[in-house]
């Protein structure tokens, strides 16, 4: 696309064959100096979106922070573009899918600004506690308002953290250093790591919200975290509580937070991020930032000299490598599958990713203490494949995608397992012929705390993927769409009752399947039932887990798998869990 007459002219020095990199935001000079040894680097801040669109056809690399919107049309206009680098973590301003489509690599710096974000959270914590912003403004206005600006101490108070990942854990350690008690909610955090840091973990918002004096959020913005804290949740907190957000705008519902501050259900807020940045005059976000009980900063979490040097070095090193044909260390969209392996492995990659996601949503929900040791076994023809790297990466992607916005690929999969304390062994089971199928995959999770290992088995038929086993149950369903998985006693009337509950909430069932106990489990259950009938109950016997209604019903357990259309609210799940004979219910989005 040729630049139009009213757009800025291309960079002054005509290229002498050296690749060119456009930097339209403030990026630390350390990394840029490294790039200048080999390439032509143009730092041009203050450009409009149209300016960048007009200039982009001349550039091989683009380095941005969170302000530049790297849209599909900008990427399409970048005929020479080979890499887009995000000097920071979040890539929500980049259309990664469009970049992948155009073969443009997107890289970021996953860890360069963690300390900066955590320190900024602590700065907002203390500023909200001691009215630092208001006091400063009042003094600058020539006032001396000591009695109006009395604050509260943070020492001995309870800080609630939602999301105990890289930033959350750093905040926890700093807060403990300030003498605070720290309680966190993160269903996927390691209890061992939390315990060793002195953080107590709770398993629901209901357990967290009423007890905290301060609340801070450190999750990514995902479908599951958007509006995580609305009116109902904020009203569960002490009216003296203060809330912080240095993660992403949208995790607190901004309208509810504004009302909470106006009506006094919440005492104050420290906000660094907003749903729309920069703020739009008159918007709810702008009214929040202007509120007298809010200390607000313009997305400064990562804005320290040190963090900017870190992220600049991280991404510039990668841009340097990519433009000379090397590999990035933190690629956001490196292909999960290499072209030559694509045709052969593609359906299995899809299957294994779904198995990982099914594991996290169906099992990890109930056993956050899982030691996260997995075994991925390949059976039949698949056992003969030597490069299973895409399958390994697909499992990691499936395991973490329901809880993280990390873009897992063959380049960063191992790094992500290390970061998250996940151990995966791969096993090639040659000679078993894949059972009933030409090739099959088994995922086992070993959990030191649980009585049994957890097993998911799957296979591919043509281009379709199927789950054939979930623990002791033999199944045969497509792991796709929204599923409700119910563990229940297999009794007459159960299906009708479940259908009624779901129908009452206006949810349409697209398919339903009952998965019964497999042969081995059934034989075991029958033996247990027979011996319990022969022995009779012994006084004082302890019963672990949900007690069967009668011994013989051990043989009548089943899984009911429902494919559903429409939104499944927590109330639907509660209604289903309350139904007689239902042992457990999980909602899985695949
Ligand atoms: N303001 C800034 O300038 C700035 C700087 C750095 C990072 N960030 C943001 O901070 C956030 C956290 O970054 P990180 O590097 O610590 O990410 P991370 O992936 O290391 O940690 C996120 C944690 O959230 C947990 N989680 C996911 N869904 C959850 C849920 N529904 N309930 C509870 N916990 C849940 C995950 O298990 C994980 O432990 C991201 O949104 C990132 O973009 C902002
Ligand atoms: O995602 C990030 O790294 C932070 O939100 C920082 O964004 P920034 O680089 O625009 O400061």
């Amino acid at each position: 696309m040729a630049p139009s007459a009213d757009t800025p002219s291309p960079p002054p020095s005509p290229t002498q064959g050296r690749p060119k990199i456009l930097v339209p935001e403030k990026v630390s000079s350390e990394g840029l100096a490294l790039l200048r040894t080999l390439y032509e680097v143009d730092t041009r801040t203050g450009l409009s979106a149209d300016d960048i669109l007009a200039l982009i056809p001349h550039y091989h690399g683009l380095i941005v922070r969170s302000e530049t919107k790297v849209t599909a049309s900008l990427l399409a206009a970048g005929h020479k573009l080979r890499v887009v680098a995000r000097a920071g973590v979040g890539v929500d301003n980049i259309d990664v899918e469009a970049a992948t489509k155009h073969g443009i690599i997107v890289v970021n710096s996953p860890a360069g600004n963690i300390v900066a974000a955590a320190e900024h959270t602590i700065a907002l914590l203390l500023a909200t506690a001691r009215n630092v912003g208001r006091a400063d403004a009042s003094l600058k206005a020539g006032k001396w308002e000591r009695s109006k600006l009395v604050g509260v101490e943070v020492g001995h108070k309870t800080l609630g953290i939602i999301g105990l990942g890289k930033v959350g854990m750093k905040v926890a350690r700093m807060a403990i250093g300030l003498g605070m008690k720290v309680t966190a909610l993160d269903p996927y955090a390691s209890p061992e790591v939390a315990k060793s840091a002195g953080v107590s973990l709770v398993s629901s918002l209901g357990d967290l919200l009423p007890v905290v004096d301060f609340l801070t959020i450190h999750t990514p913005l995902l479908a599951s975290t958007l509006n995580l804290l609305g009116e109902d949740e904020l009203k569960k907190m002490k009216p003296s509580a203060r809330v912080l957000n240095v993660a992403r705008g949208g995790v607190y519902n901004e309208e509810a937070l504004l009302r909470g501050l106006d009506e006094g259900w919440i005492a104050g807020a420290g906000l660094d991020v907003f749903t729309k940045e920069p703020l739009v005059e008159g918007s709810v976000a702008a009214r929040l930032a202007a509120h007298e009980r809010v200390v607000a900063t313009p997305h400064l979490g990562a804005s320290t000299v040190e963090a900017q040097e870190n992220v600049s070095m991280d991404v510039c090193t990668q841009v340097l490598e990519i433009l000379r044909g090397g590999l990035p260390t933190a690629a956001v969209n490196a292909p999960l599958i290499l072209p030559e392996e694509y045709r052969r492995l593609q359906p299995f990659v899809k299957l294994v990713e779904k198995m990982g996601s099914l594991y996290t949503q169906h099992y990890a929900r109930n056993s956050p203490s899982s030691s996260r040791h997995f075994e991925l076994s390949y059976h039949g023809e698949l056992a003969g494949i030597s490069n299973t790297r895409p399958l390994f990466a697909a499992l990691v992607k499936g395991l973490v995608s329901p809880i993280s916005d990390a873009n897992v690929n063959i380049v960063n999969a191992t790094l992500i397992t290390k970061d998250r304390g996940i151990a995966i062994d791969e096993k090639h089971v040659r000679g078993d012929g894949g059972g009933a199928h030409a090739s099959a995959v088994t995922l086992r999770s070993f959990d030191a705390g649980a009585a049994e290992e957890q097993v998911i088995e799957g296979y591919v038929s043509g281009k379709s993927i199927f789950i054939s086993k979930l623990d002791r149950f033999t199944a045969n369903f497509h792991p796709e769409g929204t599923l409700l998985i119910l563990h229940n006693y297999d009794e007459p009337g159960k299906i009708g009752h479940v259908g009624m509950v779901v129908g009452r909430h206006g949810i349409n069932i697209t398919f339903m399947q009952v998965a019964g106990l497999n042969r081995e489990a059934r034989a075991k259950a029958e033996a247990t039932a027979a011996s319990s009938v022969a022995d009779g109950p012994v006084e004082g016997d302890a019963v672990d887990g949900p007690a069967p209604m009668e011994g013989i019903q051990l043989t009548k357990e089943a899984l009911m798998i429902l494919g559903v259309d429409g939104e499944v609210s927590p109330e639907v799940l509660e209604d289903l869990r309350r139904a007689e004979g239902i042992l457990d219910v999980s909602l899985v989005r695949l």
Side-chain angles (χ1 to χ4, degrees):
M1 181 197 295
S4 63
D6 56 353
T7 55
S9 52
S13 63
T15 172
Q16 297 119 27
R18 299 208 308 167
K20 289 177 169 180
I21 297 155
L22 179 64
V23 189
E25 288 188 66
K26 177 90 188 77
V27 172
S28 178
S29 58
E30 270 70 13
L32 299 180
L34 185 77
L35 286 174
R36 286 202 167 94
T37 58
L38 288 178
Y39 311 120
E40 200 175 313
V41 179
D42 287 331
T43 48
R44 305 186 75 181
T45 52
L47 296 174
S48 70
D50 285 345
D51 294 341
I52 301 175
L53 187 67
L55 288 172
I56 204 68
H58 303 279
Y59 291 90
H60 302 82
L62 174 67
I63 303 182
V64 299
R65 288 179 59 189
S66 58
E67 280 183 31
T68 310
K69 306 285 172 253
V70 186
T71 59
S73 40
L74 181 66
L75 292 159
H79 307 303
K80 297 182 183 166
L81 211 51
R82 285 168 54 196
V83 53
V84 174
R86 161 66 164 111
V89 193
V91 289
D92 21 359
N93 54 322
I94 301 173
D95 190 332
V96 177
E97 211 177 307
T100 310
K101 210 171 94 198
H102 292 290
I104 299 165
I105 301 179
V106 180
V107 296
N108 72 347
S109 166
N113 57 26
I114 297 168
V115 173
E119 287 185 359
H120 197 69
T121 309
I122 298 295
L124 291 184
L125 169 82
L126 292 170
T128 52
R130 301 304 292 270
N131 304 310
V132 174
R134 269 166 67 200
D136 179 59
S138 142
L139 196 59
K140 286 193 166 89
K143 301 179 192 160
W144 189 258
E145 301 183 300
R146 282 162 40 91
S147 58
K148 260 181 92 177
L149 294 165
V150 174
V152 293
E153 292 179 10
V154 301
H156 306 294
K157 299 278 169 55
T158 300
L159 173 67
I161 300 184
I162 301 180
L164 201 62
K166 296 188 287 294
V167 179
M169 185 52 92
K170 199 109 285 92
V171 170
R173 292 182 198 279
M174 291 177 181
I176 287 168
L178 290 172
M180 299 188 83
K181 282 187 283 184
V182 178
T183 302
L185 170 67
D186 186 333
Y188 314 103
S190 152
E192 292 76 28
V193 176
K195 194 169 167 208
S196 72
V199 176
S200 56
L201 279 178
V202 292
S203 55
S204 72
L205 279 176
D207 291 337
L208 184 78
L209 299 176
V211 301
V212 303
D213 301 295
F214 295 86
L215 178 71
T216 183
I217 292 199
H218 299 286
T219 66
L221 183 64
L222 305 165
S224 56
T225 57
L226 178 68
N227 294 322
L228 187 65
L229 290 135
E231 177 168 340
D232 288 351
E233 290 72 25
L234 292 171
K235 279 187 168 163
K236 286 190 184 129
M237 300 181 69
K238 300 177 190 173
S240 57
R242 289 157 171 86
V243 299
L244 308 169
N245 191 359
V246 184
R248 279 293 180 268
V251 182
Y252 295 99
N253 179 291
E254 287 178 340
E255 287 184 15
L257 183 54
L258 186 60
R259 267 206 315 283
L261 290 161
D262 279 341
E263 294 173 17
W265 347 311
I266 286 295
L271 306 174
D272 183 48
V273 284
F274 303 88
T275 45
K276 181 106 176 62
E277 297 173 4
L279 300 179
V280 177
E281 213 185 316
S283 66
V284 174
R287 285 165 58 202
L288 263 178
H291 199 282
E292 67 159 0
R293 297 212 202 145
V294 173
V295 179
T297 49
H299 201 144
L300 290 183
S303 292
T304 63
V305 172
E306 296 83 352
Q308 287 309 307
E309 282 173 8
N310 291 341
V311 297
S312 171
M313 283 307 285
D314 276 358
V315 297
C316 289
T317 315
Q318 297 186 73
V319 171
L320 186 104
E321 275 306 314
I322 291 165
L323 291 183
R324 66 177 178 198
L327 273 182
T329 49
V332 169
N333 68 339
L336 194 54
I337 235 177
L338 298 172
E340 64 270 21
E341 291 158 331
Y342 183 81
R343 278 215 354 241
R344 194 160 179 201
L345 282 186
Q346 202 275 339
F348 287 98
V349 166
K350 192 167 153 200
L351 171 67
V352 171
E353 185 183 333
K354 301 280 186 186
M355 288 165 77
S357 180
L358 180 59
Y359 171 83
T360 296
Q361 298 179 71
H362 180 55
Y363 291 124
R365 182 181 62 85
N366 281 337
S367 55
S369 65
S370 162
S371 62
R372 302 186 183 233
H373 190 139
F374 296 94
E375 182 189 271
L376 190 59
S377 345
Y378 311 118
H379 307 265
E381 289 167 17
L382 199 58
I385 303 244
S386 54
N387 181 9
T388 53
R389 188 96 198 109
L391 297 174
F392 175 92
L395 175 59
V396 181
K397 187 171 187 205
L399 289 171
V400 307
S401 60
I403 56 166
S404 157
D405 57 357
N407 279 285
V408 182
N409 51 56
I410 50 175
V411 178
N412 64 9
T414 307
L415 194 75
I416 287 175
T417 57
K418 284 196 186 121
D419 276 357
R420 293 182 178 264
I422 300 172
I424 300 174
D425 291 327
E426 289 179 278
K427 205 163 132 193
H428 295 253
V429 189
R430 293 189 174 85
D432 73 346
H437 314 288
S439 284
V441 184
T442 309
L443 174 66
R444 279 177 211 284
S445 159
F446 304 97
D447 178 350
E452 299 176 30
E453 62 180 17
Q454 292 149 337
V455 184
I456 302 177
E457 271 180 21
Y459 69 95
V460 172
S461 172
K463 284 191 179 155
S464 302
I465 59 175
F466 294 88
I467 296 298
S468 49
K469 183 175 177 186
L470 271 176
D471 279 347
R472 298 166 296 143
F473 301 95
T474 303
N476 198 31
F477 65 93
H478 291 298
E480 263 149 36
T482 304
L483 306 180
L484 281 167
I485 303 183
L486 296 93
H487 181 192
N488 59 288
Y489 292 120
D490 191 11
E491 298 159 334
K494 192 104 295 128
I495 296 175
H497 182 69
V498 167
M500 225 171 62
V501 173
V502 172
R504 201 167 56 227
H505 287 275
I507 294 169
N508 184 30
I509 298 179
T510 54
F511 79 86
M512 207 227 47
Q513 180 175 121
V514 176
L517 286 174
N518 61 28
R519 207 180 318 151
E520 201 186 9
R522 176 164 281 275
K524 206 167 143 194
E526 276 167 1
T528 313
S531 80
S532 73
V533 168
D535 298 347
V538 177
E539 208 181 323
D541 263 1
V543 180
D544 282 337
M549 289 188 291
E550 285 174 26
I552 200 68
Q553 280 170 337
L554 281 169
T555 60
K556 289 193 169 180
E557 278 176 71
L559 284 188
M560 211 186 289
I561 297 141
L562 306 182
V564 294
D565 273 344
E567 207 34 56
V568 180
S569 64
E571 291 74 50
V572 180
L573 299 178
E574 274 319 301
D575 273 6
L576 287 169
R577 282 188 189 117
R578 268 200 298 270
E580 200 187 310
I582 300 288
L583 300 168
D584 194 18
V585 181
S586 61
L587 171 65
V588 176
R589 293 190 182 93
L590 294 171

